[in-house]
Amino acid sequence: MTFLSPDRLWLLAVAPILAGLYVVLQMRRRNYAVRFTNLALLSQVAPKRPGWRRHVAATLFLIMIILMMIGFARPASSVKVPRDRATIMVAVDVSLSMMAQDVPPNRMEAAKAAAKKFIRELPARFNVGVVSFAGNANLIAAPSADRDTAIASLDQLALAKRTAIGEAVFTSLQAVRTFDTQAAQDPPPAHIVLLSDGDNTTGRSVQEAIDASRSAHVPVSTIAFGTPYGTVDIEGETTSVSVNKEALKTLATSTDGKAYEAADAGQLRDVYANIGTSLGYKTEHRDVAARYTGIALLFALAAGGFSLAWFSRLP
């Protein structure tokens, strides 16, 4: 399908005006011939008219003008462009326990830095989305190839109470299933990277998340942030918030993912090393003015060529 710029379409009105003028001129010439009463003498003194040939060059020239006008109207054509659907979902824990400073400067800032570094280093072919979770889970950046949006969403994270690891996995899986129009029947290859200190305190259980991930064939890799000695001050009370590495490890190994710690988060390249490719398509509008201009030039050359060959002049 071809689209034209509406603010330039008015130029096409010139085409029928030119055609009308040509017809009027031809009618005038015919009238001049009719006024000459001695038609026998006229046929002897007047040069032989070229008949239908005299209209060919004019018709070609008019078509050339129309094509040039269409080109000037900036036509654009809808084109289906392949895109890689492979998707990485990054889920970041924003529970209050992430304020603990046993991982400098604190667990939250360390997790954000690791997530940003991971997103920046992702190969260009991957789409990336971001989920934040505390008492519930929210999709804060839908999966796309836009790295800047994903990274900017991490700067908007705010701490909240409780930790819903299971919900984070379910929300990430839902983002994968709604990635594009074909994802419901043909989900893209995907991987979830979950950054947390490891205690699921609300929402669906880790085991439910494991079952859902295995059913969707989406591995979950985890990064544990924290030590057994972490503490946070909540409403004036110091609370121990030791990291639960075992829960995160169970989630990872049970879904064919990998379990990492903050210290070795730089090894995350393994996460996307084996993700396959699945091509989808997006529609783009591409300028095709050059196509019409090129065809117009061919008609102009044809008009000039016929005119020179038959009448030894240009139209």
Side-chain angles (χ1 to χ4, degrees):
M1 183 179 293
T2 300
F3 304 89
L4 300 176
S5 177
D7 58 336
R8 300 189 180 189
L9 280 177
W10 63 270
L11 281 173
L12 291 177
V14 177
I17 294 175
L18 292 176
L21 287 174
Y22 180 76
V23 172
V24 169
L25 289 174
Q26 296 304 311
M27 294 297 294
R28 279 188 172 184
R29 289 180 180 178
R30 183 173 298 177
N31 289 336
Y32 293 152
V34 171
R35 289 173 186 171
F36 197 98
T37 55
N38 194 338
L39 296 180
L41 178 60
L42 177 65
S43 62
Q44 294 179 8
V45 299
K48 188 176 181 181
R49 299 187 64 81
W52 61 268
R53 290 185 301 174
R54 61 195 173 95
H55 302 298
V56 172
T59 301
L60 292 174
F61 184 79
L62 181 60
I63 294 174
M64 181 270 291
I65 291 294
I66 293 173
L67 289 170
M68 291 294 286
M69 290 176 179
I70 294 175
F72 181 70
R74 295 180 299 189
S77 179
S78 295
V79 179
K80 284 190 172 182
V81 181
R83 66 180 295 190
D84 198 331
R85 303 169 68 230
T87 301
I88 304 287
M89 294 301 303
V90 178
V92 183
D93 186 347
V94 294
S95 60
L96 294 178
S97 60
M98 294 292 284
M99 289 191 301
Q101 298 179 358
D102 51 342
V103 178
N106 59 51
R107 296 178 183 179
M108 168 67 84
E109 292 303 320
K112 286 166 59 175
K116 289 179 180 180
K117 182 175 186 295
F118 173 67
I119 291 171
R120 289 191 188 99
E121 293 180 354
L122 275 177
R125 76 179 185 88
F126 288 105
N127 302 285
V128 61
V130 181
V131 168
S132 68
F133 64 97
N136 51 39
N138 297 292
L139 179 67
I140 60 174
S144 73
D146 187 349
R147 302 289 189 265
D148 292 336
T149 297
I151 290 173
S153 71
L154 293 169
D155 291 324
Q156 308 303 316
L157 296 178
L159 294 169
K161 294 180 180 180
R162 297 186 294 276
T163 309
I165 292 176
E167 297 301 326
V169 173
F170 275 95
T171 299
S172 298
L173 292 174
Q174 178 64 17
V176 171
R177 284 193 294 267
T178 57
F179 172 72
D180 56 20
T181 55
Q182 67 188 93
Q185 290 75 36
D186 180 24
H191 200 121
I192 298 171
V193 178
L194 187 140
L195 303 87
S196 177
D197 53 14
D199 263 332
N200 189 66
T201 63
T202 188
R204 282 170 280 194
S205 68
V206 171
Q207 186 57 53
E208 288 177 285
I210 290 171
D211 294 341
S213 296
R214 290 181 64 85
S215 177
H217 306 289
V218 177
V220 181
S221 289
T222 61
I223 309 175
F225 287 86
T227 70
Y229 315 107
T231 61
V232 294
D233 291 328
I234 301 176
E235 298 177 352
E237 293 186 12
T238 300
T239 304
S240 175
V241 286
S242 60
V243 64
N244 191 340
K245 296 179 182 178
E246 289 305 313
L248 294 175
K249 184 175 181 181
T250 298
L251 174 59
T253 57
S254 299
T255 58
D256 297 324
K258 295 189 177 184
Y260 300 89
E261 295 185 18
D264 56 19
Q267 301 172 15
L268 279 171
R269 293 181 184 85
D270 295 339
V271 166
Y272 53 77
N274 297 316
I275 296 182
T277 294
S278 172
L279 289 181
Y281 294 87
K282 59 181 178 180
T283 301
E284 291 185 354
H285 297 308
R286 294 188 172 178
D287 190 330
V288 292
R291 181 188 306 171
Y292 289 91
T293 303
I295 298 174
L297 289 173
L298 292 177
F299 274 93
L301 290 173
F306 283 128
S307 186
L308 285 173
W310 289 338
F311 313 117
S312 299
R313 60 182 175 82
L314 290 173

